Amino acid sequence: DAGVTQSPTHLIKTRGQQVTLRCSPISGHKSVSWYQQVLGQGPQFIFQYYEKEERGRGNFPDRFSARQFPNYSSELNVNALLLGDSALYLCASSSTGTFRNTIYFGEGSWLTVV
Amino acid sequence: EDKVVQSPLSLVVHEGDTVTLNCSYEVTNFRSLLWYKQEKKAPTFLFMLTSSGIEKKSGRLSSILDKKELFSILNITATQTGDSAVYLCAVEWGNTDKLIFGTGTRLQVFP
């Protein structure tokens, strides 16, 4: 079975641009969470979606938004990119939305803002 | 503010050494504590701890939680070069998939 898949794996954007990152959860998983990991830091929670509804939001500005589709895949959008948005963006999926060692992380999308 | 603090930030050892990684937390809605290993990109799951004093083991790795003193340790015995990675401690917040991570401990094991 395929794991959590994310795309693109690497991308470079210019300040002020917009970016969309995509995530496909493990088959049968209905919960998707997004994390931002800046170099040298631990991942920080951005959003969780469960059954297409936002279930949690971290301390990120409104430039960050996300959605979940009927097939449970998800997109993370970041508008008006800043240099500080350069990071590894991780997607995680779980089967019930309530963590019980069933959460799996994707390989991440490396975003560089120049 | 909820926080998870790991120490040391970095550790350099030789193969065969035993290491202890520390994690302390102050989280209002604690549900469980988790340890992950991150080598390149995706953190890989090691342990989930919910009860105090019960050691979890997997090969050379073991971990224990103290909910009274709000900390956990991860032990690695007979370290190998393949153990070189960043070890992340995270606390599950409430009944969700929200994980609050520490900064991580970078372990380097030399032959």
Side-chain angles (χ1 to χ4, degrees):
Chain A
D1 284 343
V4 179
T5 57
Q6 292 186 241
S7 64
T9 54
H10 294 82
L11 70 165
I12 300 173
K13 291 286 189 177
T14 304
R15 277 178 296 176
Q17 285 188 314
Q18 176 263 342
V19 68
T20 298
L21 308 177
R22 296 175 178 83
C23 172
S24 292
I26 291 171
S27 178
H29 285 192
K30 298 180 179 180
S31 173
V32 171
S33 300
W34 288 94
Y35 288 81
Q36 180 197 63
Q37 187 174 22
V38 173
L39 203 61
Q41 300 293 318
Q44 275 201 292
F45 175 79
I46 310 175
F47 287 110
Q48 184 201 0
Y49 277 78
Y50 178 65
E51 286 279 19
K52 301 179 286 293
E53 291 191 1
E54 183 182 301
R55 204 179 194 187
R57 173 185 285 253
N59 189 23
F60 280 80
D62 292 342
R63 299 185 295 107
F64 289 76
S65 64
R67 55 180 175 168
Q68 187 176 32
F69 298 99
N71 66 353
Y72 302 111
S73 66
S74 177
E75 285 183 353
L76 175 70
N77 295 286
V78 187
N79 294 321
L81 285 167
L82 304 174
L83 295 179
D85 295 330
S86 296
L88 176 66
Y89 288 84
L90 293 164
C91 174
S93 78
S94 70
S95 56
T96 63
T98 302
F99 187 98
R100 278 300 176 261
N101 82 339
T102 56
I103 189 168
Y104 299 93
F105 282 90
E107 291 293 310
S109 294
W110 276 108
L111 171 63
T112 301
V113 182
V114 297
Chain B
E1 182 184 342
D2 293 332
K3 62 180 179 180
V4 176
V5 178
Q6 293 186 245
S7 64
L9 294 180
S10 182
L11 200 51
V12 179
V13 300
H14 287 99
E15 274 191 318
D17 288 350
T18 294
V19 298
T20 298
L21 281 55
N22 304 295
C23 175
S24 64
Y25 62 91
E26 293 179 28
V27 177
T28 52
N29 201 357
F30 176 94
R31 186 167 176 85
S32 66
L33 186 143
L34 302 102
W35 285 96
Y36 286 87
K37 177 182 182 182
Q38 188 175 31
E39 294 179 83
K40 292 181 181 178
K41 291 185 178 180
T44 53
F45 173 80
L46 295 175
F47 296 110
M48 181 177 74
L49 304 158
T50 55
S51 302
S52 277
I54 299 174
E55 185 182 51
K56 292 217 172 179
K57 292 196 73 170
S58 177
R60 297 176 293 102
L61 278 66
S62 64
S63 184
I64 197 163
L65 173 67
D66 185 328
K67 292 172 73 173
K68 182 179 178 183
E69 300 297 330
L70 308 182
F71 78 90
S72 173
I73 60 173
L74 174 68
N75 282 314
I76 307 175
T77 59
T79 52
Q80 302 171 357
T81 55
D83 295 327
S84 296
V86 174
Y87 290 83
L88 295 165
C89 172
V91 170
E92 180 191 5
W93 187 93
N95 193 29
T96 69
D97 282 353
K98 178 180 178 180
L99 300 176
I100 301 170
F101 281 88
T103 305
T105 294
R106 178 173 296 278
L107 174 65
Q108 293 177 277
V109 182
F110 287 97

